[in-house]
Amino acid sequence: GTLMASKILRENEVITGYENSEIILWNWRKNEVLTTFPVPECGTIMSIATSLNNGPFVIVAGAENKIVVLKYEENQFTVIKEHEITNAGIGVLGLRPDVPILTCGGWDHRIRLFSFKYPEKLKPLAVLDFHSEAVESMAFSKRPLRTGICRGKTCTAAGSKDGKISIWTLYS
């Protein structure tokens, strides 16, 4: 299938997601496939996020209405959580660098936040409704900002097909 998403997992390892609902873990220095794993629950894989805390964990989402959390141990992936959302299509996933919060940008123009403190629970925290078209990009400040309206807070920015960028200071 066609490559749709990629993310660094650990040093020398990159995880890739494909149109055919498969993920592949590569050792990019050796150009070697370490393992493959089908994730049909997601449909075409559109986004991947990774966490090394107590993991490593890989979060996968795509054209369907499911977010799948995988744990990688002993050269294999294990599904530890499937979370169903209301509407299909997740275009972007991101983990905040300062607190264990997973952020998802949907084709339904909503931003969903989940606690990632316990990945096997993936507890919903909020649904943000600002954009009028699909949310396709996400960025996080690494530390509290020094100036501006978000001064002293950590920010999340989301970009959408509607041409707008929203900035949020949730759980700062």
Side-chain angles (χ1 to χ4, degrees):
T2 301
L3 175 66
M4 302 299 286
S6 62
K7 193 78 173 179
I8 298 290
L9 182 62
R10 295 185 290 213
E11 187 178 345
N12 302 330
E13 294 177 347
V14 64
I15 185 138
T16 53
Y18 295 85
E19 185 179 29
N20 65 357
S21 305
E22 185 174 65
I23 59 172
I24 299 176
L25 181 61
W26 296 84
N27 179 315
W28 60 270
R29 283 198 192 259
K30 296 179 181 177
N31 193 26
E32 172 182 80
V33 171
L34 299 175
T35 189
T36 63
F37 191 78
V39 192
E41 302 87 351
C42 292
T44 296
I45 294 171
M46 301 302 294
S47 190
I48 297 171
T50 59
S51 172
L52 295 178
N53 295 336
N54 301 318
F57 293 102
V58 175
I59 307 99
V60 182
E64 299 299 325
N65 66 335
K66 297 227 172 100
I67 300 165
V68 178
V69 180
L70 307 163
K71 188 164 188 176
Y72 182 66
E73 294 179 300
E74 299 174 16
N75 294 327
Q76 65 181 14
F77 288 101
T78 305
V79 175
I80 63 163
K81 178 69 177 174
E82 279 184 42
H83 183 83
E84 188 171 322
I85 61 171
T86 307
N87 299 309
I90 297 170
V92 61
L93 294 168
L95 279 167
R96 278 185 39 180
D98 59 333
V99 292
I101 294 178
L102 175 68
T103 306
C104 308
W107 294 352
D108 64 356
H109 64 80
R110 290 177 177 86
I111 300 164
R112 290 174 172 81
L113 297 127
F114 298 88
S115 171
F116 205 71
K117 187 173 184 178
Y118 303 104
E120 65 281 358
K121 293 184 180 178
L122 203 62
K123 177 184 171 189
L125 298 174
V127 178
L128 309 175
D129 194 0
F130 171 80
H131 293 283
S132 59
E133 294 190 45
V135 176
E136 296 184 326
S137 65
M138 199 84 58
F140 308 95
S141 61
K142 294 184 181 188
R143 58 190 155 280
L145 301 180
R146 291 190 231 183
T147 61
I149 197 166
C150 298
R151 191 170 129 210
K153 297 181 179 174
T154 304
C155 294
T156 300
S160 168
K161 275 178 96 174
D162 62 14
K164 297 176 187 172
I165 298 170
S166 59
I167 298 177
W168 307 86
T169 59
L170 301 161
Y171 303 100
S172 288

